[in-house]
Amino acid sequence: MRILLTGASGYLGTALMRLIPTWRPEWDLHITSHSIEPSDDMPNVHHLELRDESSVARVMDKVQPDIIFHTAALNAGDAQEMYGTNAQGSGYLARAAARSGARLLHLSSDVIFDGERGNYSEDDAPNPLTLYAVSKADAEKNVAASGANAVLVRTSLIYGFKPLDPRTRSVLRGEIPNLFTDEMRCPIWVDNLCEALLELAENEYRGILNVAGTQALSRYEFGVKLMRALNADSSHLIPTASSQSGVIRPRDCTLNVSRAQQVLQTKLESVNKVIEKKTG
Ligand SMILES: NC(=O)c1ccc[n+]([C@@H]2O[C@H](COP(=O)([O-])OP(=O)(O)OC[C@H]3O[C@@H](n4cnc5c(N)ncnc54)[C@H](OP(=O)(O)O)[C@@H]3O)[C@@H](O)[C@H]2O)c1
C-alpha cells in the first residue's frame, strides 16, 4: 500500500506520521511539505502547493497513492490564500484521486455549521459564518463533486499531550486568557482521531462522517480541564461570552457521532476519559 499524507508538518499530520509506521509498518508512507523545500536525499518527501493544480498533479503522478490522508489546510490569514488552499486545493486533489482510484480521507471541520442548534448529524446542511468555514464547506462540495472514493471526516478541536496541541500550548503560556463559555465543541484526542482515520482508510465507508469526541464542552470548560490535567494553574483563564465579543462566530458546533460509533470499531472517547487515562 502506498500512502500519501498531506500536511505532514501540521499537528494532525505529525501525529499520523508518528503513528502510521507503528500501526502499519508495511505501508510505504509518502508525505508532503509546503513551506520547506525537501532535499534530494528525502525521496518520500514531496513538495506540495495545494493552490497550484500542476503541483498537486505532479505529486499524485509521482506517488500514485492507494490511500490519501488529506490533512493540509490553512486556518487563518489571507482569505484568497485560504480559499485557494482549502476549497480549490482539496478539489484538485480529489479530482486527481478520482482519476487514479485512490481512497481519500478528507479532513473537514465542525465550523462549517452556523452553531445555532448543535448536535449536528451528517445530514445537516452547512451554513458557514467565517471565511475559513466557507473555504472548508466549499472544500467538502468539491470533494463530493469529484466522484472520488472519499470520506469527508468532520471533526472538532484536536488536542493532545505529547506534543501539546498549539491551542493548549498557547492557553498554558497565558497567550489566550479569554475562553468562551458559550462556544460548545466536541474535542477529540489526536490519537483517537488517528485511529479512526486509519480504520476508515481500510474500510469501505464513503461520504460524510462525524468523527469527534463524545463530550460536549465549552471552550472555557475544556481549557480548565486541560490545565488541571497538566497540573497547571487555571486561575488566569477568563470566562468570556462569545455573544458579547462582537465577532461573528458559530456557537454550538457539537457533532452527533452516533453514525461513527456504528461504522467504526474505534471507540470515540470523552475528554474526561482521555484525561483519566493520561493522568490516572
Ligand atoms: N486543529 C483543529 O482543532 C481542527 C479542528 C477541525 C478540523 N481541523 C482540520 O484538520 C486538518 C488538520 O488540522 P491541523 O490543525 O493539524 O493543521 P495545521 O497544524 O494547521 O497544519 C496544516 C498543514 O497544511 C500545510 N499547508 C498549508 N498551506 C498549504 C498549501 N498551500 N499547500 C500544501 N500544504 C499546505 C501546512 O504546511 P506548512 O506548515 O509547511 O505551510 C501544514 O503542514 C485540517 O484540514 C483542519 O481544517 C482541525
Side-chain angles (χ1 to χ4, degrees), residues 58-71:
R58 215 170 19 250
V59 172
M60 285 294 284
D61 285 348
K62 210 163 170 198
V63 179
Q64 300 193 3
D66 300 292
I67 299 166
I68 305 164
F69 292 90
H70 177 37
T71 76

Side-chain angles (χ1 to χ4, degrees), residues 6 9 35 38 63 66 72 80 86 89 148 159 171 183 194 215 222:
T6 72
S9 64
S35 44
V63 179
D66 300 292
Q80 232 177 325
N86 299 346
Y159 68 98
V171 173
E183 278 194 10
C194 288
Q215 189 174 8
F222 181 45

Side-chain angles (χ1 to χ4, degrees), residues 19 30 48 68 77 82 84 96 103 108 115 126 139 145 158 202 232 250 257 261 280:
L19 292 170
H30 291 249
L48 175 69
I68 305 164
M82 203 152 57
R103 181 155 171 81
S108 188
I158 304 170
E202 295 178 311
V257 292
Q261 286 178 314

